Amino acid sequence: MAIKNQGIVQRKNDHLDIILNTPQDVTGASTGFGNWRFVHCALPEIDYDAIDLRSVFLNKTLSAPLLISSMTGGAQRSKFINHHLAEAAQELNVAMGVGSQRIALEGQSDCGIDKSLRRLAPDIPLMANLGAAQLAGEKGIDSARRVVDMIEADALIIHLNPLQEILQSDGDRDWAGKLDAIAQVVRHLTVPVVVKEVGAGISAAVAGRLIDAGVTAIDVAGAGGTSWAAVEGKRAESAHLRALASAFADWGIPTAQALQAIASAYPNTPVIASGGIRTGIDAAKALRLGACLVGQAAAILDSATESTQAVVDRFAITIEQLKLACFCTGSINLDALKTADIIQCGGGS
Ligand SMILES: Cc1cc2nc3c(=O)[nH]c(=O)nc-3n(C[C@H](O)[C@H](O)[C@H](O)COP(=O)(O)O)c2cc1C
């Protein structure tokens, strides 16, 4: 088990290095948000300083509808990253999902994902994280309970990453029965379950199966941001795996398309938009297209390695951009933004 864990830790370390050092090489297809433009309102008739970005998620009121998306987890430096992110989330009063807690479940290190995170961020929605692969079998429900308890989480995020698993030499290849395992966890857990992808998107059809299984919210984590096929391609040891991965570098459902499809098919299910969100304008478009919350991962990794203040500063820009997008569409709050004039100006969504 120890040797296996060292392998996982090394893999997570490689992921951090690749995304931090060569982000331009691992960004996949377009998010689709570029195909949408708000209609500028030259006469907003509202006070900029009165714009209200508050929203409610998991029964907690956030200052802005933003989520620090799950980032693992395996490397020692993750401890600092997680602490910076938790402190920043508390200061900004936005939601946070931790990275995969698999290492903490299976090994010695918790990578800073422990109750100290809850102490740093007592008031925000804090979400635990585990892959669907870790939920199969008899230990699945126990594992889910343990990761939630580990950080006193408000919800559990289950991530789906079938493409990435196949592109890892030791990845999980058997995805039969995963929906059943998710349904079991939903039935036995006392906190809500959110299901997300990791950058290839969730279709309306898959969302429907998850909603039928009792899942509370869907995070589309669509294509256009971090491409895990590209990341795995960069660290692949064999030419075979490299060729397989590179062909799938821009695979996936663009974030805007996945969001729109799920939000229109399931209007009563909270949908989180993530995957390639870079600015507050993207966030505004995502909210307009039906998201209740907007998540960012790779875009804040750099500042998360630096300091809490760097993360706060980074998010402050996104929040101000979102506010200005509200102003320039004459939207005094997020309800108004949801009906702001927007046009589709490119092909597809
Ligand atoms: C360094 C890094 C580590 C990640 N680790 C996890 C993880 O452990 N669990 C998870 O559900 N998603 C993980 N993700 C995926 C993100 O949560 C997100 O779904 C994906 O990166 C798309 O968002 P982005 O384009 O803003 O990066 C990770 C992303 C990054 C950049």
Side-chain angles (χ1 to χ4, degrees):
M1 180 70 86
I3 289 173
K4 191 176 170 199
N5 271 329
Q6 277 169 16
I8 302 171
V9 170
Q10 183 57 48
R11 181 169 75 227
K12 307 290 186 189
N13 236 336
D14 290 350
H15 290 161
L16 285 181
D17 285 334
I18 290 169
I19 293 168
L20 281 168
N21 299 334
T22 52
Q24 70 287 351
D25 295 354
V26 294
T27 302
S30 151
T31 58
F33 287 116
N35 295 329
W36 292 88
R37 282 183 84 86
F38 280 111
V39 177
H40 175 66
C41 175
L43 200 56
E45 296 274 20
I46 54 172
D47 176 357
Y48 183 75
D49 293 322
I51 292 172
D52 182 359
L53 297 180
R54 282 177 303 169
S55 68
V56 175
F57 183 66
L58 297 174
N59 295 322
K60 292 184 174 175
T61 301
L62 306 176
S63 299
L66 299 177
L67 163 72
I68 294 179
S69 287
S70 309
M71 281 187 277
T72 210
Q76 193 50 35
R77 61 192 152 156
S78 294
K79 191 165 188 162
F80 299 100
I81 293 177
N82 281 315
H83 282 199
H84 294 157
L85 292 173
E87 280 177 340
Q90 174 70 18
E91 189 172 332
L92 293 156
N93 190 29
V94 299
M96 173 175 170
V98 300
S100 172
Q101 289 161 269
R102 178 182 177 187
I103 304 254
L105 266 188
E106 294 179 358
Q108 306 297 318
S109 168
D110 57 32
C111 304
I113 306 179
D114 56 21
K115 292 210 168 47
S116 67
L117 279 195
R118 184 40 106 188
R119 283 197 294 277
L120 292 172
D123 303 318
I124 60 150
L126 184 64
M127 293 183 277
N129 186 297
L130 213 49
Q134 277 71 60
L135 297 173
E138 287 170 10
K139 289 189 182 159
I141 295 164
D142 181 53
S143 299
R145 284 194 183 119
R146 281 172 58 205
V147 295
V148 168
D149 290 348
M150 210 181 283
I151 57 167
E152 296 170 9
D154 298 283
L156 171 67
I157 296 177
I158 299 173
H159 67 261
L160 307 176
N161 61 340
L163 173 62
Q164 183 186 19
E165 291 287 339
I166 299 301
L167 296 176
Q168 291 172 352
S169 52
D170 55 350
D172 182 23
R173 304 173 76 87
D174 183 2
W175 278 69
K178 297 285 193 262
L179 181 62
D180 217 37
I182 292 171
Q184 289 287 345
V185 168
V186 168
R187 264 199 291 281
H188 288 89
L189 222 56
T190 53
V191 296
V193 171
V194 177
V195 174
K196 75 188 279 284
E197 235 283 345
V198 296
I202 292 182
S203 67
V206 168
R209 283 151 66 198
L210 293 167
I211 293 163
D212 287 346
V215 165
T216 299
I218 307 285
D219 179 344
V220 303
T226 308
S227 159
W228 287 99
V231 173
E232 296 300 345
K234 267 191 162 289
R235 56 182 291 279
E237 277 164 17
S238 71
H240 177 88
L241 214 48
R242 231 179 349 266
L244 193 61
S246 70
F248 282 82
D250 73 347
W251 181 270
I253 311 168
T255 299
Q257 189 182 318
L259 165 64
Q260 235 199 325
I262 299 175
S264 56
Y266 302 101
N268 298 322
T269 298
V271 187
I272 301 168
S274 74
I277 305 274
R278 300 253 147 204
T279 68
I281 302 175
D282 286 345
K285 289 177 184 175
L287 294 162
R288 173 63 182 85
L289 296 179
C292 68
L293 207 61
V294 180
Q296 286 186 300
I300 47 170
L301 181 58
D302 205 17
S303 28
T305 58
E306 207 182 309
S307 66
T308 300
Q309 192 55 47
V311 180
V312 171
D313 292 347
R314 180 72 179 66
F315 260 88
I317 294 170
T318 305
I319 291 169
E320 192 76 24
Q321 289 167 337
L322 171 57
K323 196 171 160 187
L324 190 48
C326 285
F327 187 63
C328 291
T329 55
S331 312
I332 189 70
N333 55 30
L334 298 178
D335 278 344
L337 181 66
K338 282 184 177 33
T339 59
D341 281 345
I342 193 165
I343 47 173
Q344 197 170 2
C345 51
S349 29

